[in-house]
Amino acid sequence: MPKRTFVYGATILLGANLLNRILGFTFQYLIMNNIGGEAYGLFNMVFPIYMLALVFTTAGIPLAIAKMVSEEVSLGRVRQAQAIFRLALWFLSISGAVVSTVLYFLTPYLAHRIFPDPRVLNIFLICTPAIFIVSVSSAFRGYFQGLQNMIPTAISQICEQIVRVIVGYTIAIRLLRDGVEWAAAGLALGMLAGELVGLLAIALQYRRVKPNFTEKSQESGYSSRLIMSQLWHLASPVTVGRLFSTGLSALDAMLIPMRLQVAGYGARAATTLFGQLGGAAFTLLTFPSVFTFALATSLVPAISEAAARRQFHIVRARSAEAIRLTILIGIPCLIILFYFSRPLTAFFRSMDIAPVLRVLALGGIFSYIQQTTTGILQGLGKVQLPVLHSIIAAIIRIPVLIYLTGLPQWGLRGTAWAYTIGFFIMAALNITAIARYTGMALDLQRFVLQPVSGGIGMLLVFHFLDPIFGGNVIGYLIEFSLGFTLYSMILFINGGVTFTDLKRLPWIGKFINL
C-alpha cells in the first residue's frame, strides 16, 4: 500500500471535515432560523447522554485499533493487523447491540428522572439504534486510521453528513406543526439515517481494499486473548477520559439551563438560550476544529509508527509541526469570530449571545491546541495523561460555571469564561507533558510571535475596511479575503510559512514542484 505522511492524511480529512462543517453550518442555520432554538435545545439535552452510552459501547477501542494496526503494518505484519481488526469488529458489534437494546427499554425511566425536560423521550428512543451503527462504523474507521488511509473515512463522513442534513431538516420541518418536540425528533431521525449511510459507505470501501492472503504469508502470532488484552490496555484510559468528558457534557446540559433559571430566566427561555449556545456559539467556535480534528486523527498512527521504530527525532518534529499548524490556522479564524461576533450570531438569529462568542473566541486557540496535543499524547501511548489533565481542568471549571452562570449579570457569559479557563488549563498541561516526554522545544517565535504578528495585520485590515464594506455578506467576504491575504503574506515574510510547507500538501504540492 502506498506510504502517506500524517500531513497528507490530515489534509484529506481536513477537506472532508471542511465540507461536512459547511453542510453542518448550513444545517444549523436552517434549524435556528426555521425550526428554532428550543427544538435544538431539546436535541442537545439528549446528545450528551447518547454520547455517554456510545463511549460505554466503543470503550476507546477505535483508537486502540488505529495504534495497534499502525504498529503492526510498520513492522510488516499485515496479517496480524487484520486479526486485530476482525476481533475488534466482533467485540464492537456485540457491545453495540447489547447497549442499544438495554438503553431502548430504559429510555422511559431516563426521560422522566434524568433529563430536565421530559419531552426528550421520543428523541432518545430514536437515538438508541444509532449506538449499534456507530459502534460498528468506528471499527472500520480505526482500521483505516491505523493504515494512515483517511480517504475511506472522509468519504463515509461526507455521505453521513449529506444524508443527515437532507433527511433531518426535511422531517423536522414537516413535524414542526405537531410540536417542537416532534421537530427535535426529526433531527434525531436525520442523525440515525446519516449514521447508517456512513456505515454502508465505509464497509463497501473495506470490501474493495481488503487484503487478500492467498499467497503464503506469516501466520498471526497473536491469540484472541492477547489481542483483547492489548486492546483493553490501550483503550481503558481513553474510555475513562471519554466517559469523563461526555459525563461533563451531560452535566453541562443539566447544569446550564438550571443555573440560567437561578439567574432569573424561565424554563423555556433557559432551554432556548442553551440551544443558542450550542447551535450558534459553539457551532461557530468549533468550525476551525475541522483542521485540529483531522490533525489529531492523523497524528495517532504517525506518532505511534515513529515511536515503534524509536525515531524520537521524528516524534519531536511531528509534534512541534502539528502544534505550529494548529496555531497558524486557529488565530485568523478566532480573530474573525471575535471581530464579527454580532453579524455571525445574527446569521443564526442569536445576536444576544454575541458577547458569549467573543469570550469563547479568546480561549478558542487553547481548545484547538488541546485537541491536537491530546492526539500527540495518545500516539505516544500516554493515553492516561489527557484524562488526568481533563480532570484537573474540570475541577476548576465546574465550580466557576455553577457560580458565574447563576449570576444575573453574567449568565451565559459566565459559562463562556468557565469554558475558556478549562481550555487553557488542559492545553497548558498537555504541552508541558509533551515537552517532558519528547524533549520538544517550546519555540516562542514559531508558536507565538510569527502567527500573532500576522493576526495583528489581519485586525488592522478589519479595522479600516469594516466601516466601508461592513453590513452585507459580499462586503464581509471581501474583508475576510483581504485580511487572510495579508495574514498569509506576513507569515511568508517572517518565515511562519515556507514553500517547503506547501510542497507537503496533496494536490497543491505537486504544482509547486513543477
PDB file of all heavy atoms in Angstrom, residues 433-450:
ATOM      1  N   ALA A 433       3.462  18.218  29.199  1.00  0.00           N
ATOM      2  CA  ALA A 433       3.731  16.783  29.187  1.00  0.00           C
ATOM      3  C   ALA A 433       4.469  16.362  27.923  1.00  0.00           C
ATOM      4  O   ALA A 433       5.398  15.546  27.976  1.00  0.00           O
ATOM      5  CB  ALA A 433       2.413  16.005  29.312  1.00  0.00           C
ATOM      6  N   ILE A 434       4.084  16.914  26.777  1.00  0.00           N
ATOM      7  CA  ILE A 434       4.758  16.575  25.515  1.00  0.00           C
ATOM      8  C   ILE A 434       6.217  17.007  25.564  1.00  0.00           C
ATOM      9  O   ILE A 434       7.120  16.269  25.151  1.00  0.00           O
ATOM     10  CB  ILE A 434       4.023  17.227  24.324  1.00  0.00           C
ATOM     11  CG1 ILE A 434       2.652  16.593  24.128  1.00  0.00           C
ATOM     12  CG2 ILE A 434       4.846  17.088  23.037  1.00  0.00           C
ATOM     13  CD1 ILE A 434       1.748  17.347  23.188  1.00  0.00           C
ATOM     14  N   ALA A 435       6.466  18.212  26.067  1.00  0.00           N
ATOM     15  CA  ALA A 435       7.840  18.698  26.179  1.00  0.00           C
ATOM     16  C   ALA A 435       8.665  17.804  27.102  1.00  0.00           C
ATOM     17  O   ALA A 435       9.844  17.520  26.837  1.00  0.00           O
ATOM     18  CB  ALA A 435       7.841  20.140  26.689  1.00  0.00           C
ATOM     19  N   ARG A 436       8.039  17.326  28.164  1.00  0.00           N
ATOM     20  CA  ARG A 436       8.757  16.490  29.129  1.00  0.00           C
ATOM     21  C   ARG A 436       9.092  15.114  28.543  1.00  0.00           C
ATOM     22  O   ARG A 436      10.198  14.601  28.737  1.00  0.00           O
ATOM     23  CB  ARG A 436       7.925  16.325  30.402  1.00  0.00           C
ATOM     24  CG  ARG A 436       8.626  15.507  31.484  1.00  0.00           C
ATOM     25  CD  ARG A 436       7.886  15.572  32.805  1.00  0.00           C
ATOM     26  NE  ARG A 436       6.596  14.903  32.764  1.00  0.00           N
ATOM     27  CZ  ARG A 436       5.426  15.508  32.828  1.00  0.00           C
ATOM     28  NH1 ARG A 436       5.376  16.823  32.894  1.00  0.00           N
ATOM     29  NH2 ARG A 436       4.303  14.827  32.794  1.00  0.00           N
ATOM     30  N   TYR A 437       8.157  14.506  27.821  1.00  0.00           N
ATOM     31  CA  TYR A 437       8.359  13.134  27.349  1.00  0.00           C
ATOM     32  C   TYR A 437       9.082  13.040  26.003  1.00  0.00           C
ATOM     33  O   TYR A 437       9.622  11.986  25.677  1.00  0.00           O
ATOM     34  CB  TYR A 437       7.010  12.411  27.252  1.00  0.00           C
ATOM     35  CG  TYR A 437       6.457  12.026  28.599  1.00  0.00           C
ATOM     36  CD1 TYR A 437       5.410  12.742  29.168  1.00  0.00           C
ATOM     37  CD2 TYR A 437       6.999  10.967  29.324  1.00  0.00           C
ATOM     38  CE1 TYR A 437       4.899  12.402  30.412  1.00  0.00           C
ATOM     39  CE2 TYR A 437       6.498  10.631  30.569  1.00  0.00           C
ATOM     40  CZ  TYR A 437       5.452  11.340  31.110  1.00  0.00           C
ATOM     41  OH  TYR A 437       4.955  11.012  32.352  1.00  0.00           O
ATOM     42  N   THR A 438       9.076  14.096  25.209  1.00  0.00           N
ATOM     43  CA  THR A 438       9.723  14.026  23.892  1.00  0.00           C
ATOM     44  C   THR A 438      10.960  14.903  23.792  1.00  0.00           C
ATOM     45  O   THR A 438      11.763  14.736  22.873  1.00  0.00           O
ATOM     46  CB  THR A 438       8.746  14.453  22.780  1.00  0.00           C
ATOM     47  OG1 THR A 438       8.459  15.860  22.902  1.00  0.00           O
ATOM     48  CG2 THR A 438       7.455  13.659  22.845  1.00  0.00           C
ATOM     49  N   GLY A 439      11.104  15.858  24.702  1.00  0.00           N
ATOM     50  CA  GLY A 439      12.197  16.815  24.583  1.00  0.00           C
ATOM     51  C   GLY A 439      11.914  17.905  23.571  1.00  0.00           C
ATOM     52  O   GLY A 439      12.825  18.645  23.171  1.00  0.00           O
ATOM     53  N   MET A 440      10.647  18.024  23.155  1.00  0.00           N
ATOM     54  CA  MET A 440      10.273  19.052  22.183  1.00  0.00           C
ATOM     55  C   MET A 440      10.506  20.445  22.759  1.00  0.00           C
ATOM     56  O   MET A 440      10.092  20.749  23.883  1.00  0.00           O
ATOM     57  CB  MET A 440       8.791  18.901  21.793  1.00  0.00           C
ATOM     58  CG  MET A 440       8.293  19.920  20.795  1.00  0.00           C
ATOM     59  SD  MET A 440       6.487  19.900  20.634  1.00  0.00           S
ATOM     60  CE  MET A 440       5.989  20.686  22.169  1.00  0.00           C
ATOM     61  N   ALA A 441      11.172  21.290  21.992  1.00  0.00           N
ATOM     62  CA  ALA A 441      11.425  22.662  22.432  1.00  0.00           C
ATOM     63  C   ALA A 441      10.175  23.517  22.225  1.00  0.00           C
ATOM     64  O   ALA A 441       9.459  23.363  21.232  1.00  0.00           O
ATOM     65  CB  ALA A 441      12.598  23.249  21.656  1.00  0.00           C
ATOM     66  N   LEU A 442       9.902  24.398  23.168  1.00  0.00           N
ATOM     67  CA  LEU A 442       8.779  25.324  23.050  1.00  0.00           C
ATOM     68  C   LEU A 442       9.285  26.572  22.333  1.00  0.00           C
ATOM     69  O   LEU A 442       9.829  27.492  22.957  1.00  0.00           O
ATOM     70  CB  LEU A 442       8.222  25.655  24.431  1.00  0.00           C
ATOM     71  CG  LEU A 442       7.677  24.464  25.223  1.00  0.00           C
ATOM     72  CD1 LEU A 442       7.190  24.912  26.599  1.00  0.00           C
ATOM     73  CD2 LEU A 442       6.553  23.773  24.459  1.00  0.00           C
ATOM     74  N   ASP A 443       9.118  26.584  21.021  1.00  0.00           N
ATOM     75  CA  ASP A 443       9.656  27.650  20.174  1.00  0.00           C
ATOM     76  C   ASP A 443       8.720  28.859  20.210  1.00  0.00           C
ATOM     77  O   ASP A 443       7.690  28.887  19.525  1.00  0.00           O
ATOM     78  CB  ASP A 443       9.806  27.131  18.736  1.00  0.00           C
ATOM     79  CG  ASP A 443      10.601  28.077  17.855  1.00  0.00           C
ATOM     80  OD1 ASP A 443      10.627  29.272  18.153  1.00  0.00           O
ATOM     81  OD2 ASP A 443      11.193  27.609  16.865  1.00  0.00           O
ATOM     82  N   LEU A 444       9.072  29.849  21.027  1.00  0.00           N
ATOM     83  CA  LEU A 444       8.229  31.027  21.201  1.00  0.00           C
ATOM     84  C   LEU A 444       8.030  31.775  19.884  1.00  0.00           C
ATOM     85  O   LEU A 444       6.932  32.260  19.593  1.00  0.00           O
ATOM     86  CB  LEU A 444       8.846  31.959  22.252  1.00  0.00           C
ATOM     87  CG  LEU A 444       8.054  33.223  22.584  1.00  0.00           C
ATOM     88  CD1 LEU A 444       6.723  32.865  23.227  1.00  0.00           C
ATOM     89  CD2 LEU A 444       8.859  34.138  23.513  1.00  0.00           C
ATOM     90  N   GLN A 445       9.071  31.858  19.073  1.00  0.00           N
ATOM     91  CA  GLN A 445       8.960  32.601  17.817  1.00  0.00           C
ATOM     92  C   GLN A 445       7.965  31.941  16.865  1.00  0.00           C
ATOM     93  O   GLN A 445       7.096  32.617  16.317  1.00  0.00           O
ATOM     94  CB  GLN A 445      10.333  32.696  17.143  1.00  0.00           C
ATOM     95  CG  GLN A 445      10.285  33.457  15.815  1.00  0.00           C
ATOM     96  CD  GLN A 445      11.655  33.604  15.172  1.00  0.00           C
ATOM     97  OE1 GLN A 445      12.667  33.267  15.771  1.00  0.00           O
ATOM     98  NE2 GLN A 445      11.698  34.105  13.956  1.00  0.00           N
ATOM     99  N   ARG A 446       8.082  30.625  16.667  1.00  0.00           N
ATOM    100  CA  ARG A 446       7.241  29.935  15.696  1.00  0.00           C
ATOM    101  C   ARG A 446       5.832  29.686  16.238  1.00  0.00           C
ATOM    102  O   ARG A 446       4.865  29.686  15.483  1.00  0.00           O
ATOM    103  CB  ARG A 446       7.885  28.616  15.275  1.00  0.00           C
ATOM    104  CG  ARG A 446       9.285  28.757  14.719  1.00  0.00           C
ATOM    105  CD  ARG A 446       9.606  27.651  13.750  1.00  0.00           C
ATOM    106  NE  ARG A 446       8.988  27.897  12.459  1.00  0.00           N
ATOM    107  CZ  ARG A 446       8.917  26.991  11.483  1.00  0.00           C
ATOM    108  NH1 ARG A 446       9.416  25.797  11.665  1.00  0.00           N
ATOM    109  NH2 ARG A 446       8.351  27.277  10.341  1.00  0.00           N
ATOM    110  N   PHE A 447       5.726  29.452  17.547  1.00  0.00           N
ATOM    111  CA  PHE A 447       4.420  29.155  18.139  1.00  0.00           C
ATOM    112  C   PHE A 447       3.593  30.414  18.412  1.00  0.00           C
ATOM    113  O   PHE A 447       2.371  30.373  18.368  1.00  0.00           O
ATOM    114  CB  PHE A 447       4.579  28.390  19.452  1.00  0.00           C
ATOM    115  CG  PHE A 447       4.995  26.952  19.294  1.00  0.00           C
ATOM    116  CD1 PHE A 447       5.205  26.387  18.047  1.00  0.00           C
ATOM    117  CD2 PHE A 447       5.172  26.151  20.404  1.00  0.00           C
ATOM    118  CE1 PHE A 447       5.594  25.064  17.904  1.00  0.00           C
ATOM    119  CE2 PHE A 447       5.552  24.822  20.274  1.00  0.00           C
ATOM    120  CZ  PHE A 447       5.774  24.279  19.024  1.00  0.00           C
ATOM    121  N   VAL A 448       4.269  31.542  18.713  1.00  0.00           N
ATOM    122  CA  VAL A 448       3.538  32.731  19.173  1.00  0.00           C
ATOM    123  C   VAL A 448       3.806  33.953  18.301  1.00  0.00           C
ATOM    124  O   VAL A 448       2.876  34.524  17.705  1.00  0.00           O
ATOM    125  CB  VAL A 448       3.879  33.044  20.646  1.00  0.00           C
ATOM    126  CG1 VAL A 448       3.108  34.287  21.106  1.00  0.00           C
ATOM    127  CG2 VAL A 448       3.568  31.864  21.538  1.00  0.00           C
ATOM    128  N   LEU A 449       5.066  34.381  18.217  1.00  0.00           N
ATOM    129  CA  LEU A 449       5.378  35.677  17.619  1.00  0.00           C
ATOM    130  C   LEU A 449       5.000  35.749  16.145  1.00  0.00           C
ATOM    131  O   LEU A 449       4.405  36.746  15.702  1.00  0.00           O
ATOM    132  CB  LEU A 449       6.869  35.991  17.806  1.00  0.00           C
ATOM    133  CG  LEU A 449       7.348  36.112  19.259  1.00  0.00           C
ATOM    134  CD1 LEU A 449       8.837  36.434  19.305  1.00  0.00           C
ATOM    135  CD2 LEU A 449       6.545  37.179  19.996  1.00  0.00           C
ATOM    136  N   GLN A 450       5.342  34.743  15.360  1.00  0.00           N
ATOM    137  CA  GLN A 450       5.045  34.785  13.923  1.00  0.00           C
ATOM    138  C   GLN A 450       3.544  34.806  13.639  1.00  0.00           C
ATOM    139  O   GLN A 450       3.063  35.674  12.903  1.00  0.00           O
ATOM    140  CB  GLN A 450       5.730  33.615  13.222  1.00  0.00           C
ATOM    141  CG  GLN A 450       7.245  33.769  13.138  1.00  0.00           C
ATOM    142  CD  GLN A 450       7.935  32.537  12.591  1.00  0.00           C
ATOM    143  OE1 GLN A 450       7.399  31.429  12.616  1.00  0.00           O
ATOM    144  NE2 GLN A 450       9.154  32.715  12.076  1.00  0.00           N
TER     145      GLN A 450
END
